[in-house]
Structure formats: C-alpha cells, structure tokens
Amino acid sequence: MINYKHLYYFREVAATGSISRACESLKLTPQTISGQLQLLEESLGVKLFRKQGRNLELTDAGHTARRYADEIFQLGSALEQALQNHPSGQERLFRVGIVDVVPKTIAYKLLEPAMLLNPPIHIVCNEGPLQDLLGELAMHRIELVIADKPLPNTMPIKGFSHRLGFSGISFFAHAKVAAQLRGKFPQSLNNAPLLIPSEGTSVRNELMNWFHQQKVQPKIIGEFDDSALMRAFGFGGAGIFIAPSVQEGTFTQEVDIQCIGRADGVMEQFFAISVERRISHPAVLAITKSAQDWLQTSGLITGRNLP
C-alpha cells in the first residue's frame, strides 16, 4: 500500500524541482526527504526522478505519478472541506437532484415537506439533465431525483419511478405581448411569439401534438432546457411562455403577467426516482405523500380561454 506521506514529499519535490527547495517548504532535512523518496521508488518499483544538473527531473513514470498525486491530494482537500460543512449530528443529510426542466417554484413546493421534518434534515440540492442525475443516483451520491418523466427503459440503471402527480399546462404572457394577440384562445396563438421547452422534454411533444389538433401554428422564437430561464424571457416580454397550471396563482401576482389560456388535455407529470421500490427514507416519504395531495387538488387540466 502506498505511503501517502512519501507521496506528499514526492509531490513537493516534483513541484519545486529539487530536494533542497522542498526542504525549505517541508521543514525537513535533505537526508530525510531523500530517504523517503527512495522508499517510495522501491515500493512502486520504478524510478521517479533523474538528475538534470543540480536539479531533479521527472521520468515518464514520475510524470504519471505526479498526475495521480495531484488528484489524490486535491480529493483530500475536498474531503476536508466537505466534512467541515457537514451537518451536525442532529441533522440527517438528504441529497436530491432536480431535473433542470422542472420549474423551481414547483421543485420547492415538492421539497418543502422534507424541510419541515422533526428531527430536521440538511438538504443538498443539485440541478442538471436527467441522464447526469440518474448517474449520480446510481452511484448513491444522491437519494432522489425529481423529474418530469419516469426512469427511461433505455437507462442501464436500477431504480424505481414514483408518480407524484400531474398538472395542466397554461400559457402566460406579459401585458404588452397579450395586447398584440388577435382572436380567442387558442386561435390567438397563431403566428404569436412562443417560448417553449427544448426537444426531448415530456411536455414538448404533447404541446406540439396539441397545436396540430387545434390547427394553430405559433412562431417558436426560443427553446430552453432551463424553465427558470424561459420564465425570465417571458417576464421580460420576449414572447408567450408555458408553465404548469399550478403556478397560475403565483405568476399572475406579478405585475403585467397574464394567463391567456390552458392547453386542454396536456399534462406535465412529476416523478420521484429512487433506488428503493418501497420508500423508507423519511424525507422521500414526506415528499411523495404531500405532492400527491397537493397536485391532486391544484393540478388544473381543463383548457379554456381566460379573461
């Protein structure tokens, strides 16, 4: 097994280029460092340095060893920092991944029950694409993924999808955009500037089918992976944007933001993906129970023209 103290001395000599300069930073004698380097070379079975004048030069094996040594000690520093920021013994750590297309306000509403547990938990949230977060889940780096679709059958990951519920889809617009619309909803969407989730999201395909059924053709001017970024463009008046109907009350409280209609029959679903078939983690239990109650009472799915 590698002696990491010897490896640390090797890394310092490699960085400074000589034993004498390494002695100054390590506060050790040249004899001590030379002896430790010799022991490291013997244990690894390779020469790590060769003399180059008064300095030492890394061999090919030495360059390889230094790359690994740098990574090892960087990980050590990261470990120290992680433990310093670790929650106290009174708090249970709960790590959750949120797929970037899930609206942030909905993510908060879904996770809120976990924050109210007693004893309290310490929550760590990561955001990213579904595929990346499922990789983290498979490595047990997170306990749960909040997503807009179930675990794909094509993913070589053992996991289970727990359906949290669904919401209808509503269309929103800044007052200056809404004032330019002509006709009743949904015909008013014809040639209207539209901001929409990127291809590959579950709701995108449903919306495109709905547009075809309604015989309307909006002008798609922006596609977004991140729902918060799409909302920022919409709030700025760039175009009509969509969001789950459960957010109507929140969005219409904003100055100049109007809900112009709902997509009849189009639903955005939400799932909790875990490695457990039967949920046992108290935070996940709280999330699934509360989410199903909330979305069942708030997930509007009827479509109509709104005043």
Side-chain angles (χ1 to χ4, degrees), residues 87-236:
S88 67
Q90 297 292 323
E91 299 173 336
R92 182 171 181 176
L93 186 64
F94 178 50
R95 300 162 299 183
V96 57
I98 302 166
V99 176
D100 44 21
V101 295
V102 174
K104 307 302 178 288
T105 51
I106 286 185
Y108 168 72
K109 189 69 177 178
L110 293 175
L111 296 176
E112 184 183 21
M115 303 295 295
L116 302 176
L117 290 175
N118 189 19
I121 66 163
H122 181 100
I123 191 167
V124 178
C125 293
N126 295 313
E127 184 186 23
L130 177 61
Q131 187 171 350
D132 293 354
L133 294 177
L134 290 176
E136 295 290 293
L137 183 71
M139 297 293 290
H140 299 280
R141 292 174 179 158
I142 55 179
E143 280 78 50
L144 188 72
V145 173
I146 302 292
D148 65 329
K149 63 178 72 172
L151 177 68
N153 295 329
T154 55
M155 292 290 290
I157 293 173
K158 184 178 180 181
F160 301 95
S161 301
H162 311 278
R163 190 169 182 265
L164 298 177
F166 60 85
S167 172
I169 292 296
S170 297
F171 294 82
F172 300 88
H174 190 281
K176 68 180 182 182
V177 176
Q180 298 174 4
L181 301 178
R182 297 290 178 265
K184 293 184 177 181
F185 183 87
Q187 283 69 36
S188 57
L189 296 176
N190 255 324
N191 296 316
L194 180 68
L195 310 170
I196 197 170
S198 297
E199 291 185 5
T201 56
S202 60
V203 75
R204 167 71 179 256
N205 292 336
E206 286 199 54
L207 275 174
M208 299 309 291
N209 289 333
W210 186 81
F211 291 145
H212 179 73
Q213 292 168 5
Q214 301 299 318
K215 297 182 172 57
V216 296
Q217 193 170 4
K219 182 180 180 181
I220 297 174
I221 62 169
E223 304 180 45
F224 300 84
D225 289 330
D226 189 321
S227 60
L229 185 59
M230 179 174 67
R231 184 183 69 185
F233 273 68
F235 277 24

Side-chain angles (χ1 to χ4, degrees), residues 4-304:
Y4 289 98
K5 183 179 288 187
H6 296 171
L7 188 65
Y8 182 74
Y9 295 161
F10 156 75
R11 182 172 177 250
E12 194 66 24
V13 173
T16 59
S18 74
I19 289 177
S20 61
R21 283 194 288 272
C23 288
E24 296 175 6
S25 61
L26 294 172
K27 310 300 183 189
L28 295 172
T29 66
Q31 293 79 7
T32 299
I33 294 179
S34 296
Q36 304 297 309
L37 289 179
Q38 185 175 350
L39 289 173
L40 179 63
E41 289 179 330
E42 289 174 359
S43 68
L44 295 175
V46 293
K47 282 288 186 183
L48 300 173
F49 292 103
R50 55 173 168 260
K51 282 190 172 292
Q52 183 70 27
R54 293 185 175 183
N55 295 325
L56 291 176
E57 185 180 79
L58 288 169
T59 62
D60 289 343
H63 282 292
T64 301
R66 182 176 180 185
R67 285 197 300 273
Y68 278 95
D70 286 341
E71 291 183 20
I72 287 168
F73 291 108
Q74 285 168 5
L75 283 173
S77 297
L79 173 61
E80 282 186 322
Q81 185 174 4
L83 292 179
Q84 287 170 1
N85 296 327
H86 199 272
S88 67
Q90 297 292 323
E91 299 173 336
R92 182 171 181 176
L93 186 64
F94 178 50
R95 300 162 299 183
V96 57
I98 302 166
V99 176
D100 44 21
V101 295
V102 174
K104 307 302 178 288
T105 51
I106 286 185
Y108 168 72
K109 189 69 177 178
L110 293 175
L111 296 176
E112 184 183 21
M115 303 295 295
L116 302 176
L117 290 175
N118 189 19
I121 66 163
H122 181 100
I123 191 167
V124 178
C125 293
N126 295 313
E127 184 186 23
L130 177 61
Q131 187 171 350
D132 293 354
L133 294 177
L134 290 176
E136 295 290 293
L137 183 71
M139 297 293 290
H140 299 280
R141 292 174 179 158
I142 55 179
E143 280 78 50
L144 188 72
V145 173
I146 302 292
D148 65 329
K149 63 178 72 172
L151 177 68
N153 295 329
T154 55
M155 292 290 290
I157 293 173
K158 184 178 180 181
F160 301 95
S161 301
H162 311 278
R163 190 169 182 265
L164 298 177
F166 60 85
S167 172
I169 292 296
S170 297
F171 294 82
F172 300 88
H174 190 281
K176 68 180 182 182
V177 176
Q180 298 174 4
L181 301 178
R182 297 290 178 265
K184 293 184 177 181
F185 183 87
Q187 283 69 36
S188 57
L189 296 176
N190 255 324
N191 296 316
L194 180 68
L195 310 170
I196 197 170
S198 297
E199 291 185 5
T201 56
S202 60
V203 75
R204 167 71 179 256
N205 292 336
E206 286 199 54
L207 275 174
M208 299 309 291
N209 289 333
W210 186 81
F211 291 145
H212 179 73
Q213 292 168 5
Q214 301 299 318
K215 297 182 172 57
V216 296
Q217 193 170 4
K219 182 180 180 181
I220 297 174
I221 62 169
E223 304 180 45
F224 300 84
D225 289 330
D226 189 321
S227 60
L229 185 59
M230 179 174 67
R231 184 183 69 185
F233 273 68
F235 277 24
I240 299 168
F241 63 101
I242 66 141
S245 299
V246 293
Q247 295 183 286
E248 280 185 16
T250 301
F251 285 3
T252 52
Q253 289 178 6
E254 298 288 335
V255 178
D256 292 331
I257 299 301
Q258 303 175 10
C259 180
I260 62 172
R262 303 189 189 116
D264 187 12
V266 177
M267 296 183 296
E268 183 164 15
Q269 301 189 79
F270 302 100
F271 293 86
I273 304 174
S274 71
V275 294
E276 298 177 310
R277 182 188 293 274
R278 296 185 64 184
I279 298 171
S280 61
H281 195 294
V284 181
L285 282 170
I287 288 168
T288 53
K289 170 80 169 61
S290 178
Q292 289 164 358
D293 293 342
W294 172 56
L295 288 170
Q296 282 176 6
T297 57
S298 305
L300 304 170
I301 59 173
T302 57
R304 60 182 177 87

